[in-house]
């Protein structure tokens, strides 16, 4: 076949496929090059050679075996690469896998798509199990448009961090093997962030693979909005600072050590036999002074948070409550990496796997548990201490230990929900409890009257979490209906509805100034919302699984979020940037809490541990470290393992005592 005939066939192919303008341009180009000569008149629809050539092109394009063969070869090459490059090259496999599958479904090769999916899904189940479970439901071309998850994947691009060595190896392989199909998928759906230097040999780099698309532009636009992250004007902390009433632990320690030194000198002059004990006490006091000095140095370097005005009409605090909070703040222990907190752990026993949630009041005096039988139980720690029982009994238990000294139950039973209770939270003074349930309602209970006061209805599906604002009266809830809502105690309808998440909203947390709430979702994102306008003002992207817990730093500048995989990420609210991922837990992170001065972060997990993290060091990363991408400076200070108790709840009291709670479970045999 001569070149002129080939050109005619190409033009015919373009016309048959509907690319008339391209065919016209090609004809004019060859007409100009051939000095005015034109293509001969050919019957493009009935020419046998042209039909045969077009059919071969079409068959090659639609052949489903090309996907399996191309992916299998790429997979074998990546797994057989040197260990130095393997971790980075394997990052490419998951996005190529899901787009090969969706391409096969989109072209109508359902059976081949299912076979391809089942053959290679095990490679990705460990990290992407939930995504794969969603993709299993994509069985027809129409599903690619109807299912929100599949549609977002098709429109998105994956950003992969890769070294120049690994990138060059990948491109050379694709060009050498003429893997045009794999190259096309990679070109269309992956953006590479190529960096110079040695490849990253770690497979745990949390920021190595992130999925963005048109959503990235939306997030970037939203994250440009201005937010006021500071604390409220004329807060109780402000008043204490102005009056000089907020003493640091170092100042308290110095006063105590001076008294201790004086007492020791008197004892040494009068009681020679107690020299050993006096010397030990002197050493202990000196160690306390050293600790206090380190803590004082660390606190000096933290700049004060700006002051902002409240957007909500905040409730007036009673004098008694205000005085109680001020007293707690005056006596707050200053914590640091060398001054660790005391931990009090409340263990539920005999719950028969019925405990869904637990909550601890701000002073640790009350503990509430929400159960699968729709009940809520509230324990008063003072009464338990009087009864001499050190454990919290669960549901359906007739053991004598749950009875108080007068033959009564040692807990208060609250009944009203008609479905499992998924969340409970105390008001700041501890006089109210909020609970949310699978029955789609939120209920307000009085701890003084031990009765249900209000039932709030608005969500259409189970309500996963509810949280009081730091000043009470207002509260926020989140649900399976993909929304979060702002409520006030005196109204049965929500004040604001926050909609935008693509999946369940699993957790909610208030900002310390009450002007914002944060929500964590099964769509792997965290959002920050303005409570006055109901608008989303920040989107935080980086988690690889559903977000289950949130915590705000006391100064309101940082936020921590924990996910199902056990990863904790610390965010800067101004830039919406992840300061550092915290790797340590190997199961769901169910609870997070900052210490009163914000120097420590506590995390509680289903892996039966409580971990303490040094927050201060993470916010001091140098520009050189940020440039090199090495900002993982946050370090685990201490791990508190339990015998066999997943940690449901954590709370630092105002005096910086750490409370934790969980249900004793049978260890796996």
């Amino acid at each position: 076949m001569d070149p002129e005939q080939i050109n005619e066939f190409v033009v015919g192919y373009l016309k048959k496929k509907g690319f008339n303008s391209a065919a016209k341009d090609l004809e004019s180009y060859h007409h100009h090059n051939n000095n005015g000569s034109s293509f001969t008149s050919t019957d493009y629809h009935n020419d046998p050679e042209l039909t045969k050539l077009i059919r071969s092109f079409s068959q090659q394009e639609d052949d489903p075996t090309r996907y399996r063969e191309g992916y299998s070869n790429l997979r074998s090459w990546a797994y057989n690469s040197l260990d130095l490059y393997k971790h980075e090259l394997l990052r490419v496999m998951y996005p190529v896998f899901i787009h090969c599958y969706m391409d096969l479904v989109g072209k109508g090769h359902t059976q081949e798509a299912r076979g391809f999916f089942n053959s290679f899904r095990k490679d990705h189940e460990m990290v992407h199990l939930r995504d794969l479970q969603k993709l299993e439901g994509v069985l027809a071309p129409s599903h690619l448009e109807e299912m929100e998850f599949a549609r977002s994947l098709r429109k998105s691009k994956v950003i992969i961090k890769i070294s120049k060595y690994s990138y060059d190896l990948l491109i050379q392989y694709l060009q050498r093997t003429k893997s045009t199909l794999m190259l096309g998928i990679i070109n269309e759906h992956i953006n590479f962030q190529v960096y110079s230097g040695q490849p990253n040999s770690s497979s745990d780099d949390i920021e190595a693979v992130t999925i963005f698309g048109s959503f990235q532009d939306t997030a970037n636009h939203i994250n440009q909005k201005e937010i006021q992250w500071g604390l409220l004007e004329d807060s109780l902390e402000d008043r204490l600072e102005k009056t000089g009433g907020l003493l640091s632990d170092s100042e308290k320690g110095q006063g105590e050590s001076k008294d201790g030194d004086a007492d020791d000198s008197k004892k040494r002059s009068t009681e020679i036999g107690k020299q050993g004990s006096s010397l030990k006490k002197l050493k202990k006091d000196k160690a306390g002074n050293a600790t206090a000095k380190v803590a004082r140095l660390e606190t000096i370097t933290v700049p004060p948070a700006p002051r902002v005005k409240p957007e909500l009409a905040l409730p007036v605090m009673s004098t008694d409550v205000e005085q109680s909070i001020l007293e707690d703040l005056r006596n707050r222990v200053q914590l640091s990496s060398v001054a660790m907190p005391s931990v009090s752990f409340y263990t539920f026993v005999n719950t028969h796997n019925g405990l869904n949630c637990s909550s601890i009041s701000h002073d640790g005096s009350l503990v509430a548990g929400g159960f699968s039988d729709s009940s809520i139980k509230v324990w008063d720690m003072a009464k338990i201490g009087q009864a001499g029982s050190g454990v919290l009994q669960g549901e359906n238990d007739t053991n004598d230990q749950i009875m108080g000294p007068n033959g009564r139950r040692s807990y208060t039973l609250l009944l009203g929900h008609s479905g499992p209770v998924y969340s409970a939270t105390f008001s700041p003074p501890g006089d109210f409890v909020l609970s949310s349930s699978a029955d789609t309602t939120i209920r307000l209970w009085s701890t003084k009257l031990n009765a249900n006061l209000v039932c709030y209805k608005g969500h259409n599906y189970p309500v996963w979490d509810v949280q009081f604002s730091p000043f009470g009266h207002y509260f926020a809830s989140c649900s399976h209906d993909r929304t979060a809502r702002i409520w006030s105690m005196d109204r049965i309808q929500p004040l604001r509805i926050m909609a935008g998440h693509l999946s369940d909203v699993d957790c909610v947390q208030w900002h310390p100034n009450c002007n914002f709430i944060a929500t964590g979702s099964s769509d792997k994102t965290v959002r920050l919302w303005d409570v006055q306008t109901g608008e989303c003002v920040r989107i935080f992207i980086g988690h690889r699984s559903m977000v289950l817990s949130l915590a705000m730093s006391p100064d309101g500048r940082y936020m921590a979020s924990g996910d199902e995989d056990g990863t904790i990420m610390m965010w800067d609210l101004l830039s919406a940037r992840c300061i550092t991922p915290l790797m340590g837990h190997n199961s769901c992170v169910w609870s997070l809490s900052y210490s009163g001065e914000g120097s420590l972060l506590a995390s509680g997990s289903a892996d039966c541990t409580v971990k303490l993290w040094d927050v201060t060091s993470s916010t001091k990363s140098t520009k050189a470290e940020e440039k090199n991408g090495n900002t993982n400076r946050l370090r685990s200070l201490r791990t508190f393992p339990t015998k066999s108790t997943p940690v449901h709840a954590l709370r630092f009291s105002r005096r910086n005592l750490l409370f934790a709670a969980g249900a004793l479970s049978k260890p796996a045999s």
Side-chain angles (χ1 to χ4, degrees):
M1 190 179 294
D2 58 25
E4 190 173 345
Q5 246 183 328
I6 293 175
N7 292 333
E8 290 180 18
F9 285 156
V10 172
V11 172
Y13 177 76
L14 292 173
K15 288 184 176 179
K16 188 168 184 178
K17 290 292 185 180
F19 302 114
N20 294 321
S21 60
K24 188 176 180 181
D25 291 342
L26 186 61
E27 281 183 322
S28 62
Y29 172 77
H30 285 290
H31 179 73
H32 180 268
N33 285 351
N34 293 333
N35 298 324
S37 62
S38 178
F39 290 113
T40 58
S41 179
T42 306
D43 186 353
Y44 295 114
H45 293 280
N46 298 319
D47 186 278
E49 281 196 70
L50 178 60
T51 303
K52 183 178 178 181
L53 184 63
I54 291 174
R55 188 180 294 114
S56 67
F57 285 155
S58 300
Q59 287 177 348
Q60 189 176 4
E61 287 179 354
D62 296 333
D63 185 7
T65 60
R66 295 176 63 225
Y67 288 90
R68 176 184 284 271
E69 182 182 349
Y71 180 82
S72 179
N73 291 338
L74 179 61
R75 175 180 176 272
S76 299
W77 173 78
Y79 274 102
N80 291 324
S81 299
L82 293 175
D83 290 342
L84 183 62
Y85 309 107
K86 184 186 296 185
H87 290 298
E88 290 193 332
L89 295 173
L90 288 178
R91 292 171 188 164
V92 180
M93 301 312 301
Y94 176 67
V96 172
F97 169 75
I98 59 175
H99 286 292
C100 282
Y101 173 70
M102 289 191 288
D103 281 356
L104 285 169
V105 172
K107 293 180 179 180
H109 304 299
T110 306
Q111 290 298 114
E112 291 82 357
R114 296 305 305 164
F116 174 83
F117 187 84
N118 292 329
S119 297
F120 302 109
R121 67 172 295 168
K122 289 185 178 179
D123 293 346
H124 313 289
E125 281 184 341
M126 183 174 292
V127 179
H128 303 285
L129 179 60
R130 286 190 174 272
D131 290 351
L132 295 178
Q133 289 171 345
K134 293 177 184 178
L135 279 176
E136 278 186 308
V138 180
L139 300 172
S142 59
H143 293 171
L144 295 173
E145 291 300 323
E146 294 170 359
M147 291 183 64
E148 200 166 2
F149 177 70
R151 189 169 67 250
S152 65
L153 283 178
R154 297 283 279 181
K155 294 179 180 179
S156 67
K157 276 204 169 187
V158 182
I159 298 181
I160 297 179
K161 288 169 60 177
I162 192 171
S163 69
K164 192 174 186 307
Y165 297 110
S166 302
Y167 177 76
D168 290 342
L169 280 174
L170 177 63
I171 298 302
Q172 287 174 12
Y173 166 79
L174 294 172
Q175 291 176 343
R176 186 179 71 253
T177 57
K178 298 181 180 178
S179 304
T180 54
L181 183 62
M182 296 297 105
L183 183 59
I185 291 174
I186 290 172
N187 180 64
E188 186 176 356
H189 298 289
I190 298 178
N191 278 345
F192 290 104
Q193 286 185 349
V194 183
Y195 63 90
S196 58
Q198 289 296 317
N200 182 4
S201 59
S202 172
S203 59
D204 296 328
D205 187 356
I206 199 71
E207 296 178 331
V209 181
T210 49
I211 297 181
F212 290 115
S214 56
F215 183 61
Q216 180 188 14
D217 299 330
T218 305
N220 289 340
H221 175 71
I222 289 175
N223 292 341
Q224 297 302 315
K225 294 181 180 180
E226 184 178 353
I227 63 170
Q228 301 294 328
W229 59 269
L231 301 179
L232 290 181
E233 295 177 345
D234 197 31
S235 63
L236 293 178
E237 288 85 351
D238 269 352
R239 297 181 202 173
L240 279 177
E241 287 177 6
K242 290 175 182 176
T243 59
L246 187 58
L247 298 177
S248 68
D249 193 48
S250 58
E251 291 168 340
K252 297 175 193 173
Q254 285 180 341
E256 292 173 0
S257 63
K258 287 177 182 177
D259 294 338
D261 289 339
D263 292 340
D264 287 342
S265 62
K266 290 179 182 178
K267 288 179 182 179
R268 280 196 300 270
S269 62
T270 57
E271 299 179 18
I272 301 175
K274 296 183 179 179
Q275 283 185 353
S277 59
S278 299
L279 287 172
K280 289 180 181 178
K281 190 173 188 302
L282 181 62
K283 290 178 181 178
K284 185 177 180 181
D285 290 335
K286 289 180 178 179
N289 287 337
T291 299
K293 288 176 182 177
V294 173
R296 183 172 54 191
L297 288 173
E298 289 187 359
T299 55
I300 290 173
T301 59
V302 179
R307 297 302 188 254
V308 298
K309 294 181 179 180
E311 294 181 357
L312 296 174
L314 297 179
V316 178
M317 192 178 298
S318 67
T319 305
D320 292 342
V321 172
E322 184 175 314
Q323 290 301 319
S324 174
I325 294 175
L326 287 172
E327 183 66 22
D328 286 341
L329 292 177
R330 287 191 188 99
N331 291 282
R332 187 170 70 192
V333 178
Q334 198 77 11
L335 301 180
S336 69
S337 59
V338 293
M340 309 294 279
S342 299
V343 184
S344 177
F345 200 102
Y346 299 141
T347 303
F348 293 81
V349 299
N350 301 323
T351 61
H352 309 294
N353 296 321
L355 182 71
N356 293 331
C357 63
S358 60
S359 180
I360 305 166
S361 63
H362 287 251
D363 59 0
S365 62
L366 298 174
V367 178
F371 293 86
S372 296
D373 64 357
S374 76
S375 68
I376 301 157
K377 298 176 182 178
V378 180
W379 285 264
D380 188 327
M381 293 296 104
K383 293 179 180 178
I384 287 183
Q386 292 171 3
S389 174
V391 293
L392 309 182
Q393 298 290 330
E395 60 177 346
N396 302 326
D397 198 313
T398 57
N399 193 300
D400 292 338
Q401 279 187 310
I402 69 170
M403 299 299 180
N406 299 324
R408 298 179 181 178
R409 285 192 299 250
S410 60
Y411 60 81
T412 302
L413 182 64
L414 305 176
L415 297 176
H417 284 293
S418 59
V421 178
Y422 291 129
S423 179
T425 181
F426 286 96
S427 61
D431 50 352
F432 297 107
V433 176
L434 278 169
S435 60
S436 66
S437 168
D439 63 12
T440 75
T441 67
I442 302 163
R443 289 181 179 266
L444 179 69
W445 311 82
S446 170
T447 57
K448 295 179 180 178
L449 303 176
N450 297 329
N452 182 220
L453 303 179
V454 189
C455 179
Y456 303 94
K457 298 179 180 179
H459 286 289
N460 302 319
Y461 291 95
V463 185
W464 301 129
D465 194 16
V466 62
Q467 292 292 331
F468 261 114
S469 77
F471 294 90
H473 187 66
Y474 299 99
F475 59 94
S477 62
C478 59
S479 167
H480 177 60
D481 62 14
R482 306 182 183 184
T483 67
R485 302 179 188 224
I486 303 291
W487 311 72
S488 65
M489 290 171 57
D490 56 352
R491 297 189 183 185
I492 61 172
Q493 297 298 329
L495 305 178
R496 296 285 185 274
I497 299 177
M498 282 75 170
H501 279 293
L502 305 179
S503 189
D504 293 40
V505 186
D506 299 301
C507 54
V508 64
Q509 189 61 253
W510 284 84
H511 192 275
N513 63 23
C514 291
N515 292 337
F516 306 98
I517 65 166
T519 55
S521 170
S522 293
D523 65 11
K524 307 176 186 177
T525 67
V526 179
R527 289 176 180 246
L528 190 71
W529 309 82
D530 189 313
V531 298
Q532 184 64 34
T533 63
E535 292 183 352
C536 178
V537 294
R538 289 290 183 273
I539 300 179
F540 304 91
I541 303 171
H543 281 285
R544 293 185 182 178
S545 58
M546 58 193 296
V547 182
L548 300 176
S549 55
L550 295 168
M552 292 284 183
S553 64
D555 63 1
R557 180 172 182 178
Y558 302 105
M559 176 180 67
S561 56
D563 65 22
E564 188 183 31
D565 292 339
T567 301
I568 304 167
M569 303 190 82
M570 188 173 173
W571 308 89
D572 186 326
L573 295 187
L574 281 180
S575 63
R577 182 179 64 90
C578 176
I579 298 174
T580 177
L582 318 182
M583 315 296 291
H585 290 293
N586 52 37
S587 190
C588 310
V589 178
W590 281 338
S591 187
L592 294 166
S593 181
Y594 277 93
S595 60
E597 74 294 319
S599 62
L600 299 180
L601 174 68
S603 59
S605 170
D607 63 9
C608 302
T609 64
V610 174
K611 288 183 180 290
L612 291 176
W613 307 84
D614 182 9
V615 175
T616 309
S617 62
S618 71
T619 59
K620 300 176 184 176
S621 55
T622 62
K623 292 182 179 180
E625 286 174 326
E626 291 181 0
K627 186 176 180 181
N628 296 331
N630 179 25
T631 59
N632 190 6
R633 291 170 55 95
L634 210 64
R635 56 195 176 99
S636 176
L637 296 175
R638 187 86 178 271
T639 298
F640 300 95
T642 64
K643 183 177 290 185
S644 183
T645 305
V647 184
H648 281 262
L650 286 173
R651 181 184 293 280
F652 273 101
S653 70
R654 296 188 188 97
R655 299 194 181 199
N656 264 347
L657 175 63
L658 178 59
F659 294 99
L664 184 68
S665 61
K666 292 182 179 179
S669 56

